[in-house]
């Protein structure tokens, strides 16, 4: 597999930046697509055949125009990760994305992940754009809040997973959290967010199917009933095949001075990297032994 970070919008056109992770299977297709190939599944030879796309930084306005100008296919998009539910600039491209996917989607589903408030926004947009249409199936996952109102140590939650990647998310209250203890494990690190709302329309009415509440696997914390519009989301994306992880910070965040937003690293990522290192060491030792023999 090949992995790319594609920039659909860098903000130069007075729009919010839009970056996607693209996963493609290497292909031997010629530079130009032959007449019998599927336009939505075939790309130029430099990328191969797209298997999945994930928009990881919110989605800007003018999405349809920008995608058309750049021959950027929206049909492979599986998930959208939004840093804020109150920053309009990071959400204005959702209607365009839904319209594109309603014509054709490789998976027939779209997952939208973001801070509290995302569920309410998604339900209204889906109802407005898709109406009675049952396609694509849209589900929303809100990153839960933990602790008291003055507690800046928000825990990591697994908010998405498929055969290619898994993603952890946590909340960050803008302007706070600088005094977070990097070694503070009091809240645990192995959470799984399963609070997904399905907004497939049933009988023409926007009814959200009942789903399980967010599950906490290692400790019990008080979940707030209200949310702050100043909260934004931080994500860690892990590519399964490569055992490679990278962080996605909210806009205007100084990434060089934001280690406190990541620590402690989710336990699942740490264990995966340790297992990968152990496997590599074992393979090297076996190769050395074989050579000596």
């Amino acid at each position: 597999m090949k992995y790319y970070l594609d920039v659909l919008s860098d903000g130069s056109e007075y729009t919010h930046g839009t970056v996607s992770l693209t996963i493609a299977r290497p292909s031997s297709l010629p530079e130009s697509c032959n007449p019998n190939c599927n336009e939505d599944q075939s790309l130029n030879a430099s990328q191969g055949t797209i298997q999945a796309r994930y928009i990881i930084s919110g989605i800007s306005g003018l999405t349809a125009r920008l995608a058309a100008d750049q021959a950027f296919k929206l049909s492979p998009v599986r998930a959208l990760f939004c840093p804020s539910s109150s920053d309009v600039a990071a959400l204005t491209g959702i209607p365009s994305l839904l319209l594109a996917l309603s014509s054709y989607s490789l998976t027939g589903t779209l997952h939208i992940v973001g801070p509290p408030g995302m569920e309410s926004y998604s339900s209204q947009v889906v109802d407005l754009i898709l109406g009675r249409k049952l396609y694509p199936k849209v589900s929303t996952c809100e990153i839960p809040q933990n602790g008291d109102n003055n507690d800046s140590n928000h825990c990591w939650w697994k908010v998405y997973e498929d055969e290619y990647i898994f993603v952890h998310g946590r909340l960050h209250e803008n302007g706070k959290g600088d005094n977070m203890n990097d070694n503070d494990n009091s809240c645990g690190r192995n959470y799984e967010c399963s609070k997904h709302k399905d907004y497939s329309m049933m009988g023409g009415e926007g009814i959200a199917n009942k789903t399980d509440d967010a599950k906490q696997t290692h400790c019990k914390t008080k979940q707030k009933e209200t949310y702050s519009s100043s909260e934004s989301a931080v994500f860690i994306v892990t590519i399964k095949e490569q055992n490679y992880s990278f962080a996605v910070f909210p806009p205007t965040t100084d990434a060089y001075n934001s280690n406190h937003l990541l620590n402690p690293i989710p336990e699942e990522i740490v264990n995966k990297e340790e297992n990968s290192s152990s496997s590599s060491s074992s393979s090297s030792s076996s190769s050395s032994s074989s050579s000596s023999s």
Side-chain angles (χ1 to χ4, degrees):
M1 292 292 183
K2 292 185 177 181
Y3 305 89
Y4 306 87
L5 285 177
D6 293 318
V7 179
L8 181 61
S9 170
D10 61 4
S12 60
E13 297 188 8
Y14 302 100
T15 60
H16 186 276
T18 302
V19 180
S20 72
L21 170 63
T22 299
I23 298 178
R25 187 183 302 278
S27 174
S28 57
L29 288 174
E31 289 294 332
S32 59
C33 184
N34 65 67
N36 296 322
C37 71
N38 186 326
E39 184 182 15
D40 283 306
Q41 295 182 351
S42 299
L43 301 175
N44 57 60
S46 64
Q47 283 194 325
T49 303
I50 286 185
Q51 304 299 305
R53 263 193 175 129
Y54 312 89
I55 299 177
I56 59 177
S57 62
I59 184 167
S60 70
L62 305 179
T63 296
R65 198 204 79 188
L66 292 169
D69 289 347
Q70 302 176 40
F72 184 90
K73 298 299 180 183
L74 295 173
S75 58
V77 174
R78 294 189 177 192
L80 167 64
F81 300 92
C82 298
S84 172
S85 59
S86 59
D87 183 1
V88 177
L91 305 174
T92 50
I94 292 180
S96 294
L97 178 61
L98 289 174
L99 284 173
L101 294 179
S102 68
S103 298
Y104 179 64
S105 167
L106 287 181
T107 62
T109 61
L110 174 66
H111 295 270
I112 301 177
V113 183
M118 187 59 63
E119 179 186 323
S120 175
Y121 178 83
S122 297
S123 65
Q124 295 179 48
V125 173
V126 168
D127 196 18
L128 177 64
I129 301 299
L130 299 183
R132 296 175 179 269
K133 196 169 186 178
L134 300 175
Y135 184 89
K137 178 181 178 181
V138 180
S139 62
T140 302
C141 178
E142 288 186 352
I143 302 174
Q145 296 170 303
N146 303 281
D148 299 326
N149 291 330
N150 295 325
D151 182 6
S152 61
N153 187 7
H154 295 284
C155 300
W156 286 107
W157 295 76
K158 178 182 280 187
V159 294
Y160 181 82
E161 182 173 16
D162 62 15
E163 67 269 33
Y164 299 115
I165 68 171
F166 60 84
V167 181
H168 288 82
R170 85 189 309 176
L171 296 179
H172 163 60
E173 189 167 357
N174 298 333
K176 295 187 178 182
D178 294 339
N179 297 322
M180 183 185 296
N181 183 355
D182 289 351
N183 297 317
D184 185 1
N185 298 320
S186 60
C187 201
R189 295 184 291 179
N190 243 6
Y191 290 86
E192 181 176 357
C193 177
S194 59
K195 187 179 182 181
H196 291 273
K197 297 293 184 181
D198 181 3
Y199 292 110
S200 297
M201 300 302 135
M202 301 178 61
E205 297 179 358
I207 302 176
N209 294 336
K210 184 177 181 180
T211 55
D212 295 335
D213 291 335
K215 296 177 181 178
Q216 305 178 35
T217 61
H218 275 75
C219 69
K220 294 181 179 179
T221 50
K222 181 180 179 183
Q223 187 169 337
K224 294 183 287 183
E225 296 180 355
T226 59
Y227 70 91
S228 169
S229 61
S230 64
E231 284 185 321
S232 51
V234 182
F235 298 103
I236 297 181
V237 181
T238 301
I239 300 174
K240 291 182 175 181
E241 185 182 59
Q242 300 291 329
N243 287 329
Y244 179 82
S245 301
F246 63 91
V248 181
F249 293 100
T252 71
T253 302
D254 182 1
Y256 291 101
N257 297 310
S258 299
N259 288 337
H260 62 280
L261 298 183
L262 300 178
N263 293 319
I265 299 296
E267 197 171 67
E268 183 177 1
I269 297 177
V270 175
N271 292 339
K272 190 173 181 65
E273 291 179 350
E274 290 176 349
N275 293 336
S276 177
S277 300
S278 299
S279 299
S280 300
S281 300
S282 299
S283 299
S284 300
S285 299
S286 299
S287 299
S288 300
S289 299
S290 299
S291 300
S292 300
S293 300

